[in-house]
Every structure is written in C-alpha cells, then in structure tokens.
Amino acid sequence: QVQLVESGGGLVQAGDSLRLSCVVSGRSFSTLAMGWFRQAPGKEREFVGAIPRAGSGSYFADSVKGRFTISRDNAKNTMFLQMSSLKPEDTAVYYCVADRSSYVRVEVNEHDYWGQGTQVTVSS
C-alpha cells in the first residue's frame, strides 16, 4: 500500500520561509513523479508545483513561481517544497501527490496517490 505523509506545516508570518516534506512508502520512490497541490478555505484545490520522475525540470503555478522550489531525495523517499516570501494568500492545506508516470498533471483529478495534507497558515 502506497502512503504519502506530509510534514512541516505551521503558522508563519508574511515574508517568512517554510519547508514541507513528503515521505513516500510502499513503492519505489524513483518510479514516481511528485507534486504539490493546495486548498484554501472556501476555494477549490489547485496545483502548486511538481518535479518529474527524472528529478529535473520542476514546474510551478504562476502564483508561486520564483518563490517556491521543489526537490527530491530518492535515497530518502522524500520530496521537499521550499516556500519563501510567503504571503497570506498562500494559506492553505498543502497536499502531496504521486503519479506512476514521468510527469504530474496539473489537473486535480488525475493522480494516483494523495497525502493527508498539512496546514500552512501565513499571518499578515
């Protein structure tokens, strides 16, 4: 059974940085493309960013481009989301996704595995 477990969320102030982690178990991590989605209160879940199975060429939503980066450590079965210059509008539950493909699609309903989510709150 494949499991994705996120961690690292919390309450920060605008302008701060935060790093989220997603640990995968139950499947070879190197066979998975990985990504992040988020859902703010009262809003639809949206794509944040992703890193291909090959490990290079990450891509992001325009709203976070230049502020967020994604990396993966195949030896630790872990993906990271480094968030900088956080804004109150980044407040959301952040979800890790994994796909049995080369790339993660940006559509919400096209993913093989989901984590349970971790809350990120950015105060102004």
Side-chain angles (χ1 to χ4, degrees):
Q1 182 179 358
V2 178
Q3 289 189 319
L4 281 61
V5 179
E6 304 97 332
S7 62
L11 172 63
V12 297
Q13 293 187 333
D16 284 352
S17 298
L18 198 62
R19 189 176 79 160
L20 305 183
S21 300
C22 173
V23 178
V24 177
S25 61
R27 185 179 175 94
S28 176
F29 185 71
S30 62
T31 67
L32 299 169
M34 302 294 299
W36 293 92
F37 282 72
R38 69 184 182 185
Q39 187 165 19
K43 295 188 177 181
E44 295 185 351
R45 196 168 295 188
E46 64 178 4
F47 173 76
V48 174
I51 184 166
R53 183 170 60 193
S56 61
S58 55
Y59 45 104
F60 298 89
D62 288 343
S63 58
V64 306
K65 201 172 293 183
R67 299 188 297 121
F68 291 10
T69 60
I70 293 177
S71 60
R72 60 189 296 161
D73 185 339
N74 286 357
K76 296 183 178 179
N77 295 343
T78 304
M79 173 183 62
F80 303 98
L81 177 66
Q82 179 67 49
M83 304 183 291
S84 303
S85 302
L86 282 162
K87 305 175 182 180
E89 50 264 45
D90 294 319
T91 294
V93 177
Y94 283 71
Y95 297 92
C96 170
V97 300
D99 289 342
R100 295 169 293 177
S101 59
S102 297
Y103 293 88
V104 167
R105 296 185 179 183
V106 301
E107 294 84 1
V108 172
N109 297 320
E110 298 287 340
H111 306 290
D112 295 316
Y113 311 108
W114 286 86
Q116 83 288 351
T118 186
Q119 176 71 46
V120 172
T121 303
V122 184
S123 64
S124 58

